[in-house]
Amino acid sequence: MRTAAPAQRTPVDGAPPWIGASPVAALLALQRPWMEASELLRSAVWRGDGVPDGGGLPVLLVPGFLAGDPSLSMMKRWLHARGYRPCTSLIRVNVDCTRQAVERLERRLVEFTDRTGGPAAIVGQSRGGLFAKIMAMRQPDRVAGIVTLGSPNVDHMAINPLVARQVRLVAALGTAGVPGMFRDDCLQGRCAEQLAEWLDRPFPMHVPYVSVYSRSDWVVDWHACVDPDADNVEIDSSHVGMSVHPQVYGLLGERLAVLAGRTA
């Protein structure tokens, strides 16, 4: 799957779009996901034209920071209609401690793959893609391949300063005792060190890994998505809109079909 990338070459320069941007540009960027969802619903790929059948391949969907499973509901619906077996992560709001969230997802992955009888593909958006990469490293025999969407897998704090403030706010609330939220230790402490240890492990070469990134991403610095372990694919999309972008669905239709053929 890594050798079949149809996309542009990995770039070596270019600042994130929020650097030097005007407030008007920021407001326009906020509207873009709605436009991308509308474009998807009008597209041929949404109708399944030319999209190979999924052959029952299990696919675990993992949402991004501050989001839950409903944020990937359109993708789940589309995958089911294309012959895949999608499964949600049971994440209501993705703000929990990384270690605890990954351990719960691992249990979910084990249960899912035991039930389906074979390894599952994982599609993760933003922070969910970071979880997907860690699970592929910890459970390689249960992972058929991963696709990450706007995920800062190289540097998980390479993000827009406004988003970084939200991260610090969640950490402050968690440290103050609010349940279900990560704490300061997850940003700078033993928990953060454990995350770094996980990400320093060699990625299993037999697990296909696609990292989708966009220079138009206003949330994550796209440089942090370009992973030397991945087949890096560039598209022109907003960050949130990657879960409803026609190019992403076309890519999923192509790459997941390859995984379905490998695991058949």
Side-chain angles (χ1 to χ4, degrees):
M1 189 164 81
R2 297 185 195 179
T3 59
Q8 305 171 29
R9 303 299 296 176
T10 299
V12 295
D13 55 12
W18 62 80
I19 301 296
S22 68
V24 173
L27 288 174
L28 291 175
L30 289 174
Q31 303 300 318
R32 190 170 177 185
W34 300 103
M35 299 169 59
E36 289 162 336
S38 177
E39 182 183 353
L40 172 65
L41 293 175
R42 298 194 304 268
S43 69
V45 71
W46 176 255
R47 298 190 298 270
D49 296 353
V51 179
D53 183 80
L57 176 71
V59 183
L60 178 62
L61 302 176
V62 189
F65 175 61
L66 292 178
D69 288 333
S71 68
L72 298 176
S73 58
M74 288 183 66
M75 186 176 293
K76 178 185 177 183
R77 173 184 171 189
W78 181 82
L79 288 170
H80 182 75
R82 305 284 79 78
Y84 293 94
R85 300 168 71 177
C87 175
T88 60
S89 66
L90 300 182
I91 293 177
R92 289 183 291 181
V93 183
N94 192 343
V95 292
D96 204 351
C97 166
T98 298
R99 176 181 55 80
Q100 295 176 357
V102 167
E103 289 173 352
R104 281 197 301 270
L105 278 172
E106 276 189 320
R107 292 193 292 270
R108 180 71 165 163
L109 175 66
V110 169
E111 173 193 312
F112 185 35
T113 53
D114 283 348
R115 187 169 70 248
T116 59
I122 307 177
V123 180
Q125 183 172 18
S126 194
R127 192 182 189 219
L130 182 68
F131 293 170
K133 182 179 179 181
I134 293 172
M135 285 195 292
M137 298 165 77
R138 288 165 58 94
Q139 299 281 350
D141 293 337
R142 292 183 179 271
V143 179
I146 67 172
V147 180
T148 65
L149 307 177
S151 301
N153 291 333
V154 175
D155 180 0
H156 67 282
M157 287 305 293
I159 54 180
N160 188 311
L162 295 177
V163 179
R165 292 179 189 174
Q166 294 177 318
V167 171
R168 290 192 293 270
L169 174 60
V170 170
L173 292 172
T175 303
V178 177
M181 294 189 175
F182 57 78
R183 300 172 295 279
D184 287 333
D185 184 61
C186 296
L187 302 182
Q188 47 186 12
R190 178 56 193 149
C191 187
E193 291 171 0
Q194 187 174 54
L195 172 60
E197 290 171 5
W198 285 344
L199 294 175
D200 282 342
R201 298 176 186 176
F203 191 84
M205 291 302 297
H206 70 280
V207 178
Y209 169 17
V210 176
S211 176
V212 180
Y213 69 96
S214 170
R215 299 193 198 206
S216 303
D217 191 327
W218 274 73
V219 175
V220 170
D221 184 343
W222 62 267
H223 297 86
C225 305
V226 179
D227 192 332
D229 289 327
D231 179 2
N232 298 293
V233 177
E234 180 180 358
I235 67 170
D236 183 14
S237 170
S238 66
H239 181 78
V240 175
M242 284 191 187
S243 64
V244 291
H245 198 287
Q247 281 184 270
V248 170
Y249 282 61
L251 179 70
L252 290 176
E254 173 193 342
R255 301 306 181 91
L256 294 182
V258 174
L259 296 183
R262 287 176 47 153
T263 58

